[in-house]
């Protein structure tokens, strides 16, 4: 028996598809429904490693947590990781299969992946009561419709009803809703069941006449109006408005436990990946996290983080061009705390040999850590665990660079020299005891009277966020009508809105 399904599409990128999908998943699981997330094709530098060693988008890992299940490669069979303006690494069922230009991917490779994508969705629907699918960008990308496997392409093949989400905070939401439907073919329009308004501020009664007019124009109802809430974007695909860091920045900052705050500067390097690593720092009361791109912005930082990147050599060049490299070397020599994660760890080393990612060959690193890095064609995808600073630590690794540590104190899989730390482990700071111990070291080295809160639980904060998303759906959407969509599909007899898709 095939489980129910729904495709959450959007009028634009960043309309709120990821969080709405997570909210629907959390609402359903609280009703006792066995539910799973799915995104056929994701483009993101924020990824995660599943228990079986597969790489998927972090948004799908977060949505799996909303469902209270372990994420698997089935939930995100195709992941595209940009390596520049023109090409991306293609990750298929959790493993990299090559680099392709946008033209090469949309020119034929994408369509050949449709069978794999549909097989994964069918397997999930055979296992779960419901599968909530997330689209990408807009379903009305008319230049890409022929090869689409993530929006109407999968909706048509799997007969999924489609809910279109629009961000009213940006303005133009009615035109976006109408235009999205009107640019789809008759066959695609038959599956677009209706709309969901996201990020509404104010009195809903003032919006209702517009919703009635939209129904009159399209024959499609609005399934809910979600109010604007600060800091609800968790593990979004790209950009800097992410996760719990966004919550801390947008809402009232919790005062520090000690006398001082701790200032963290994150170098906003090109092709930055898994910048969600710093969310656990920002979740700590009294820790202030900001992204920087000038050397003078490091001056008052108590900790500088060099995050991961899909372009280690390119990021290293960028740091040198901006004067940040010199500032980092000087900072390390002064014994002021620096943390490098994954690509940031590689940058801090002495030597890089890269014939894989940048094909730059031999490149000198910053020389701060006694580490030599050689890029291997095989990608390391693991979920390591261990101990550091007397505390248990868990993380995940996603990298081509293989590091040889030649000296220094051991630190996770990397090393430490003075107050400069380097590791390939993403997510280590989500281990509460280790994070507190690390911040105590940083505060001591920085001369700050900062004290980590004794009871901050990153996992509990994440659960609270997911419950808030579930609450939004439960309280502000027509959940009975949503369930009918999931169970029975799009309503019959939905009208065609001209002009439809261009020939």
């Amino acid at each position: 028996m095939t489980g129910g399904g729904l495709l959450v599409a959007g009028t634009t990128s960043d309309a709120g598809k990821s969080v709405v999908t997570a909210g629907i998943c959390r609402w359903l699981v609280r009703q006792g429904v066995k539910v799973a997330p799915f995104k056929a094709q994701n483009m993101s530098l924020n990824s995660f490693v599943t228990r079986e060693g597969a790489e998927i988008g972090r948004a799908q890992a977060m949505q799996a947590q909303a469902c209270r299940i372990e994420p698997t490669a089935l939930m995100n069979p195709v992941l595209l990781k940009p390596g520049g303006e023109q090409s991306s690494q293609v990750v298929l069922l959790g493993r990299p299969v090559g680099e392709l230009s946008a033209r090469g991917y949309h020119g034929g490779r994408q369509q050949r992946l449709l069978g794999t994508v549909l097989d994964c969705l069918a397997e999930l629907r055979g296992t779960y009561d419901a599968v909530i699918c997330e689209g990408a960008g807009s379903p009305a990308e008319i230049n890409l419709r022929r090869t689409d496997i993530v929006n109407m392409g999968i909706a048509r093949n799997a007969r999924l009803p489609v809910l279109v989400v629009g961000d009213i905070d940006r303005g133009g939401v009615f035109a976006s809703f109408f235009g999205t439907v009107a640019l789809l073919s008759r066959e695609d329009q038959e599956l677009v069941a209706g709309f969901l308004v996201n990020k509404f501020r104010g009195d809903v009664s003032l919006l209702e006449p517009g919703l009635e007019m939209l129904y009159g124009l399209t024959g499609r109802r609005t399934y809910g109006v979600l109010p604007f809430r600060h800091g609800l974007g968790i593990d979004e695909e790209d950009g800097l408005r992410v996760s719990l860091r966004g919550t801390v920045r947008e809402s009232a900052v919790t005062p520090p436990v000690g006398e001082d705050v701790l200032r963290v500067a994150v170098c906003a390097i090109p092709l930055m990946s898994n910048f969600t690593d710093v969310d656990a720092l920002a979740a700590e009361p009294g820790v202030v996290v900001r992204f920087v791109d000038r050397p003078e912005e490091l001056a008052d930082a108590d900790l500088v983080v060099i995050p991961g990147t899909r372009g280690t050599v390119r990021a290293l060049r960028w740091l040198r061009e901006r004067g940040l490299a010199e500032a980092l070397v000087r900072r390390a020599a002064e014994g002021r705390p620096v943390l490098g994660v994954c690509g940031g760890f590689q940058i801090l080393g002495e030597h890089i040999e890269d014939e894989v990612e940048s094909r730059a060959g031999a490149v000198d690193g910053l020389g701060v850590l006694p580490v030599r890095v050689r890029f291997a064609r095989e990608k390391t995808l693991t979920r390591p665990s261990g101990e550091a600073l007397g505390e248990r630590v868990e993380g995940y690794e996603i990298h081509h660079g293989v590091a040889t540590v030649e000296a220094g104190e051991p630190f996770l899989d990397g090393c430490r020299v003075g107050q400069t730390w380097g590791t390939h482990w993403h997510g280590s700071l989500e281990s509460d005891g280790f994070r507190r111990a690390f911040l105590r070291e940083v505060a001591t080295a920085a001369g700050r009277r900062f004290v980590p809160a004794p009871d901050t639980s990153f996992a509990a904060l994440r659960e609270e966020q997911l419950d808030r998303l579930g609450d939004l759906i439960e309280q502000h959407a027509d959940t009975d009508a949503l369930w009918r969509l999931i169970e029975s599909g799009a309503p019959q007899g939905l009208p065609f809105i001209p002009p439809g898709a261009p020939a």
Side-chain angles (χ1 to χ4, degrees):
M1 180 177 174
T2 299
L6 175 70
L7 176 69
V8 178
T11 56
T12 62
S13 295
D14 201 32
K17 296 183 292 291
S18 294
V19 294
V20 167
T21 299
I24 293 173
C25 287
R26 178 50 61 102
W27 158 64
L28 285 171
V29 80
R30 294 195 307 207
Q31 308 307 308
V33 177
K34 190 180 176 186
V35 59
F38 180 79
K39 185 163 185 172
Q41 172 194 295
N42 202 340
M43 177 173 278
S44 180
L45 288 173
N46 287 333
S47 58
F48 184 75
V49 179
T50 67
R51 293 284 178 198
E52 70 267 30
E55 185 180 8
I56 65 171
R58 270 196 71 101
Q60 279 60 65
M62 174 269 291
Q63 290 161 357
Q65 186 177 348
C67 297
R68 298 180 178 146
I69 57 177
E70 275 290 325
T72 72
L74 292 174
M75 298 171 187
N76 179 207
V78 181
L79 173 63
L80 305 178
K81 302 192 72 176
E85 298 297 327
Q86 300 294 330
S87 67
S88 293
Q89 183 181 66
V90 181
V91 179
L92 179 62
L93 293 175
R95 292 286 170 181
V97 294
E99 295 271 343
L100 276 180
S101 67
R103 181 181 294 273
Y105 185 67
H106 290 287
R109 178 63 181 269
Q110 184 180 31
Q111 189 66 19
R112 292 197 294 274
L113 295 174
L114 179 60
T116 300
V117 162
L118 291 171
D119 288 345
C120 291
L121 177 57
E123 187 170 341
L124 288 173
R125 294 182 77 182
T127 306
Y128 292 90
D129 301 329
V131 178
I132 308 303
C133 307
E134 179 188 340
S138 161
E141 308 287 4
I142 55 179
N143 56 316
L144 302 177
R145 176 62 185 92
R146 183 179 60 83
T147 57
D148 170 49
I149 65 169
V150 64
N151 290 307
M152 300 312 301
I154 193 168
R156 281 267 292 276
N157 279 277
R159 304 306 300 169
L160 293 171
V162 178
L163 183 69
V164 179
V165 177
D167 179 356
I168 197 169
D169 197 47
R170 293 182 170 192
V173 75
F174 292 117
S176 298
F177 281 145
F178 183 87
T180 296
V181 178
L183 282 175
L184 299 178
S185 69
R186 185 181 299 274
E187 294 79 8
D188 286 350
Q189 286 192 25
E190 288 172 358
L191 295 171
V192 178
F195 313 108
L196 186 75
V197 176
N198 193 26
K199 301 181 187 177
F200 179 72
R201 306 173 191 248
D203 185 347
V204 176
S205 66
L206 298 177
L207 186 67
E208 286 170 353
L211 301 179
E212 292 171 7
M213 286 185 272
L214 182 65
Y215 177 79
L217 288 165
T218 67
R220 289 159 175 84
R221 58 169 299 181
T222 298
Y223 284 76
V225 178
L226 307 186
F228 187 96
R229 292 286 186 267
H230 285 290
L232 283 182
I234 46 180
D235 290 3
E236 293 172 322
E237 292 176 359
D238 285 300
L240 296 182
R241 261 188 358 272
V242 294
S243 195
L244 295 171
R245 173 167 47 72
T247 306
V248 171
R249 189 183 63 223
E250 293 175 1
S251 58
V253 176
T254 308
V257 174
E259 296 179 44
D260 289 342
V261 298
L262 208 63
R263 296 171 177 83
V264 179
V266 184
C267 295
I269 55 179
L271 297 175
M272 184 166 43
S273 63
N274 287 70
F275 45 80
T276 46
D277 285 336
V278 300
D279 289 349
L281 292 178
E284 284 285 347
V287 175
V288 180
V289 176
R290 67 182 189 272
F291 282 75
V292 303
D293 60 4
R294 297 191 302 271
E296 55 269 26
E297 294 178 293
L298 305 186
D300 68 342
D302 302 308
L303 169 67
V304 174
V305 178
I306 311 175
T309 173
R310 247 284 272 158
T312 298
V313 171
R314 176 177 169 182
L316 180 57
R317 184 170 60 248
W318 181 88
L319 289 168
R320 287 184 167 131
E321 288 170 352
R322 290 186 167 251
L324 282 160
E326 184 181 349
L328 287 165
V329 171
R330 185 169 59 250
R331 180 185 180 89
E334 294 168 353
R336 303 179 66 200
V338 177
L339 171 65
V341 180
C342 200
F345 168 41
Q346 296 165 7
I347 284 169
L348 290 171
E350 296 174 345
H351 184 79
I352 297 168
E353 191 74 34
D354 182 10
E355 300 291 352
V356 176
E357 190 175 76
S358 68
R359 298 182 176 87
V363 178
D364 288 332
L366 296 186
V368 175
L369 291 177
V371 174
R372 300 180 72 84
V373 177
R374 178 185 56 81
F375 275 70
R377 298 203 174 276
E378 187 73 18
K379 183 184 280 192
T380 297
L381 295 168
T382 62
R383 289 275 292 270
S385 60
E387 189 174 295
L389 303 179
E391 299 286 348
R392 189 74 177 160
V393 189
E394 294 184 351
Y396 57 99
E397 294 185 56
I398 306 169
H399 55 91
H400 284 279
V402 178
T404 302
V405 178
E406 300 180 331
E409 297 177 49
F411 175 63
L412 302 177
D413 71 324
C415 68
R416 168 189 183 180
V417 174
Q419 290 300 320
T420 302
W421 318 63
T423 176
H424 274 129
W425 290 22
H426 294 290
S428 63
L429 294 166
E430 295 180 20
S431 298
D432 297 326
F434 166 71
R435 181 180 65 254
R436 287 192 277 269
F438 177 70
L439 289 176
R440 280 193 292 269
E441 290 245 1
V442 168
T444 299
R448 295 287 185 190
R449 290 171 294 183
F450 169 84
V451 179
D455 55 355
T456 301
S457 166
F458 186 79
L461 287 169
R462 173 58 55 86
E463 279 296 303
E464 288 175 16
Q465 288 287 85
L466 292 171
D467 277 332
R468 288 178 69 198
L469 294 178
D471 292 344
L472 274 183
I473 298 299
E474 190 169 332
Q475 296 167 11
H476 299 282
D478 186 339
T479 52
D480 289 340
L482 271 182
W483 178 246
R484 286 194 296 273
L485 272 188
I486 293 165
E487 194 175 37
S488 305
Q492 297 296 306
L494 292 168
F496 170 72
I497 310 300

